[in-house]
Amino acid sequence: MKDIASKLAVLMLIGVLVTSVGATPALADWDKTNYPAIQGSIPVGESSSFTQISLVDAMTAAEDAVPDSKAIYGKLSEINGFVVYKVVMMSDDKSYSKVLVDAGTGDELYVSDPITKHSYKNKRGQYNNQDKKHDKRMNDYFKGMTPEQIAEKKKQFKEMGDAWKSLSIQDRAAMIIHFMQMKMQWDSMSDEEKDAKKADMKKQWQEYLPLSPDQKKQKLEDYVKSLKN
C-alpha cells in the first residue's frame, strides 16, 4: 500500500503540473471541441494495429506542428469515427491549443487556434461551474495567506510547471501513461482509502513546492527513472 500511495502522490502531481502551466479550467473542456470532419487512417473497430504510433510519436508530431509550444498531455481518442491522439499544447505565454495526430501514420490532422484563459472565457461568453470550482479551489488554497505568501506560492507553482515542460518528450510521455494506469487504481478505491491517500499526497506535494527549480526537475527525472526499474 505504501508503494501505491507514493505513486498516487505523483498522480496528483501531474494534475497540479497541468494547473501550474495554466491549462485549467480550460483543459477540462478539451474533449468538448467541435472538430472538423477529419479523415484518419484507422476507422474505429478496425482490427489493424496502431501501436506503431506511440504517444511519444504523437507528442513529437504535435510539437512539430506548433513549434513554440510544449506537449503537456495526450491520449488516444475517437474523433469522427477514427482513432487519433489528442495532444494538448502549451506556449510560454500560457495560451494552449489542441492537435489531432493520426494514430496509424503519425500525420497531423488538425491544429486548433491558440486560446488564452481570457479568450477562452470570452469565447464561451459565460462563467460556468467549472470556472467556479477552479476559482474556489484556488481561493481556498490561498485563504489566510499574505500577499507575499501568495506571490511565493504562485512562483513555486510556476517553477513546477516549468520543470514539467523542461522534461524530454520521452519522459513526459512515460509519466502521462503511468498516471493513466494509476488513475485506474484510484477509481477502484473506497472513499475512505481515497481520503487517506489524499492526505499522503498533500504532504508529499508540500515537500515538493519549496524545492529549487533544479531540484523540482530532478525529482521528476528521478521518478521517470524509477518507472524503468
Side-chain angles (χ1 to χ4, degrees):
M1 292 298 291
K2 182 178 179 181
D3 183 54
I4 292 177
S6 65
K7 291 177 179 177
L8 287 173
V10 184
L11 172 60
M12 184 189 73
L13 175 60
I14 186 63
V16 182
L17 288 173
V18 174
T19 302
S20 299
V21 295
T24 56
L27 183 60
D29 281 348
W30 81 305
D31 279 331
K32 300 177 183 178
T33 300
N34 292 321
Y35 296 102
I38 58 100
Q39 293 287 316
S41 65
I42 303 177
V44 173
E46 186 173 295
S47 60
S48 299
S49 171
F50 52 80
T51 55
Q52 68 269 23
I53 301 302
S54 67
L55 180 57
V56 171
D57 296 328
M59 291 169 67
T60 300
E63 290 197 358
D64 288 341
V66 191
D68 295 329
S69 297
K70 293 285 189 178
I72 61 169
Y73 186 69
K75 66 176 183 178
L76 277 170
S77 300
E78 173 190 340
I79 297 293
N80 295 336
F82 294 95
V83 180
V84 302
Y85 279 97
K86 288 198 290 191
V87 183
V88 175
M89 308 295 295
M90 181 64 61
S91 67
D92 288 339
D93 65 2
K94 292 189 178 181
S95 64
Y96 85 101
S97 56
K98 290 174 278 187
V99 180
L100 299 184
V101 178
D102 189 286
T105 64
D107 293 336
E108 164 207 327
L109 297 176
Y110 169 77
V111 179
S112 73
D113 293 331
I115 300 176
T116 64
K117 179 179 179 180
H118 296 297
S119 67
Y120 164 74
K121 288 186 176 181
N122 291 336
K123 182 179 179 181
R124 290 175 312 156
Q126 59 183 348
Y127 186 71
N128 69 8
N129 289 334
Q130 187 65 39
D131 298 313
K132 293 176 182 177
K133 289 179 181 179
H134 171 73
D135 289 348
K136 185 179 185 303
R137 284 195 299 268
M138 297 309 297
N139 289 335
D140 289 345
Y141 183 83
F142 293 128
K143 186 176 181 180
M145 295 186 186
T146 65
E148 292 76 17
Q149 290 172 326
I150 292 174
E152 178 61 24
K153 285 297 180 184
K154 288 183 177 180
K155 175 175 171 289
Q156 292 173 349
F157 276 121
K158 182 180 183 302
E159 289 173 351
M160 193 58 104
D162 289 342
W164 168 247
K165 290 193 294 182
S166 71
L167 295 178
S168 68
I169 289 180
Q170 290 79 8
D171 284 355
R172 274 177 275 146
M175 291 180 75
I176 289 168
I177 292 170
H178 183 66
F179 300 143
M180 290 178 179
Q181 295 169 342
M182 289 300 100
K183 188 177 185 303
M184 294 176 64
Q185 287 183 318
W186 179 260
D187 290 342
S188 67
M189 290 182 178
S190 67
D191 290 340
E192 291 77 13
E193 289 174 321
K194 288 180 180 179
D195 287 341
K197 300 311 176 189
K198 285 177 181 178
D200 290 337
M201 290 186 280
K202 182 177 180 180
K203 180 180 178 181
Q204 185 163 351
W205 175 243
Q206 289 173 337
E207 293 173 355
Y208 286 160
L209 277 180
L211 299 177
S212 71
D214 287 342
Q215 289 173 324
K216 288 181 172 76
K217 181 180 179 181
Q218 188 62 55
K219 280 283 187 180
L220 297 180
E221 291 177 339
D222 289 344
Y223 189 77
V224 174
K225 289 179 183 178
S226 74
L227 300 179
K228 301 175 183 178
N229 295 331

